[in-house]
Amino acid sequence: MASELEALLVRHVGAGIVPGAVALRGGRDPEVVAVGVASIAGKPMREDAIFRIQSMTKPITAVAALRLVEAGRIGLDESVEPWLPELGDRRVLTSPSAPLDDTVAANRPITLRHLLTMGSGYGMEFGETPLQKAMADNGTDAGPEPIALGADEWLARLAELPLAFQPGEGWRYHHSFALLGILLARVTGRPLKAHLADDLFDPLGMPDTAFWVPQEKLDRLPAAYRHSDGGLVEMEPAGGGFYAGPPPFDVSHAEIVSTAGDFHRFLRMLVESEPVQGAPLISEEHLRQMTTDQVPAGNKTPDSFFPGFWDRTGWGFGVGVETSGPKRGRYGWSGGQGTNFYVDPDGTVGILLTQVEMGEQMGRMLTEFQALP
């Protein structure tokens, strides 16, 4: 008899919501289920399929940053300008919707804490504002398409634009973590790919987690899809697309690929605080801060994210946190290509990996996954 987890995946594959999916739920020895196919009319989905996890990258870069804090390389409340001089002398819009030339000087520098809590002043604009248009025009907006600029060029273009609010006095999604990736690369003096491999992926036993999929593993990269009025539309083929092989530029500001097994190992190290190379992954205090709401109430404005987000959700360092309701204390996050994870206060971990871009239908599937007893 199929488990509740398997039944959920079978139902959504059968309804055409996703061609296939891999899901994991449990503790140290979790249930793992693979259902459907890696591409329409293609091969069966494998448990070790390598998915484009997109914003599920954020807790990994957050942990990498906190490890550098604990190593004395940078302070949480230290300005990032010594490593990111492009962010010096910032101008700030008088309001998020103001004309681009209606600015004042920044009253404080951007810090590492601002990046971890999405309070840098940079981020996605959901309304039609001059800043939103400028980001679209210069290629620094964020969306479903793969990045098209190398890290240094992307940062230079972003630095041409004013901040939406004074550092630490608002919240905007995404761009702070792209800046964080570049910061980590510059603090360590090497591409983020190399640092994360040496500091996290290799020691934790995450061999399939990286910024791209090597040639010998491309048979494990599913196709990527998007829902349209006519059904699923393929955006990237199985074994192909942006993540197939090395990219043409530095991707320290980009997001990674991973497997259910690899990501589970990362989360278990947080849950169980087991030593890695003789020391905890991060300190107990940093884990507490990472997994509890760190955003002041005044920064949770209606224009900062989608409607209702702040009603029962907060933001820690790289993860969303349930602040009320039956799942209070749960932390986790989603990726734009149909991925999601959570960690409950009792240590239960859930991971859902699909290959279909977020939208209304995918949102319902994630909600059902999150609600499994």
Side-chain angles (χ1 to χ4, degrees), residues 78-85 183:
E78 187 174 349
S79 168
V80 300
E81 291 175 22
W83 299 277
L84 303 177
L183 174 67

Side-chain angles (χ1 to χ4, degrees), residues 79-99:
S79 168
V80 300
E81 291 175 22
W83 299 277
L84 303 177
E86 298 93 335
L87 300 184
D89 301 321
R90 293 295 80 203
R91 302 295 297 181
V92 183
L93 293 171
T94 56
S95 75
S97 59

Side-chain angles (χ1 to χ4, degrees), residues 90-94 96 103-110 114 119-122 163-171 299:
R90 293 295 80 203
R91 302 295 297 181
V92 183
L93 293 171
T94 56
T103 64
V104 297
N107 56 22
R108 63 182 67 87
I110 296 170
H114 294 151
S120 69
Y122 287 116
L163 305 181
F165 49 80
Q166 292 285 352
E169 297 183 16
W171 198 91
N299 292 3

Side-chain angles (χ1 to χ4, degrees), residues 25 102 129 206 228 236 240 253 266 272 292 295 299 333 359:
R25 192 170 66 134
D102 188 3
T129 66
M206 301 169 64
S228 71
E236 294 187 344
H253 58 320
F266 168 71
E272 297 175 10
T292 56
V295 180
N299 292 3
W333 202 237

Side-chain angles (χ1 to χ4, degrees), residues 54-66:
Q54 296 193 328
S55 285
M56 279 174 54
T57 304
K58 288 176 170 62
I60 289 176
T61 48
V63 165
L66 293 169

Side-chain angles (χ1 to χ4, degrees), residues 272-289:
E272 297 175 10
S273 299
E274 289 187 359
V276 180
Q277 297 179 332
L281 194 59
I282 54 175
S283 70
E284 189 174 315
E285 174 58 19
H286 279 149
L287 179 61
R288 184 196 66 78
Q289 293 181 62

